[in-house]
Amino acid sequence: MSGCPLFPGPIFHQFLYQPFYLSYSLIGVLGIARMDWSQWAKFQIKMQGFLFIIGSAFIIGAVLIGYH
């Protein structure tokens, strides 16, 4: 039996033991676009920060107005 002892199976094994930064489709698309992974990561971290700030603002706003 392959995979993690708690979740047997190849899908959970790949999910748990694959490095977080490795997505074969992402690497393929970046290769086709001739873009370096570090260049993409610099853009992506800014985008994730922006989305975090926007999401946090919506949640704080909902708490302040008492939205259920």
Side-chain angles (χ1 to χ4, degrees):
M1 184 181 338
S2 66
C4 177
L6 297 175
F7 302 108
I11 293 174
F12 289 108
H13 178 71
Q14 179 182 5
F15 176 73
L16 291 174
Y17 296 111
Q18 181 176 348
F20 72 94
Y21 59 86
L22 183 59
S23 167
Y24 297 115
S25 57
L26 172 65
I27 298 300
V29 169
L30 290 177
I32 292 170
R34 297 180 189 253
M35 180 181 283
D36 189 33
W37 186 88
S38 61
Q39 182 183 5
W40 175 84
K42 288 177 188 175
F43 166 76
Q44 186 60 19
I45 196 71
K46 293 175 190 173
M47 186 66 174
Q48 289 296 321
F50 173 73
L51 292 175
F52 176 78
I53 290 170
I54 295 296
S56 297
F58 273 98
I59 291 173
I60 291 170
V63 168
L64 290 175
I65 65 170
Y67 182 76
H68 288 103

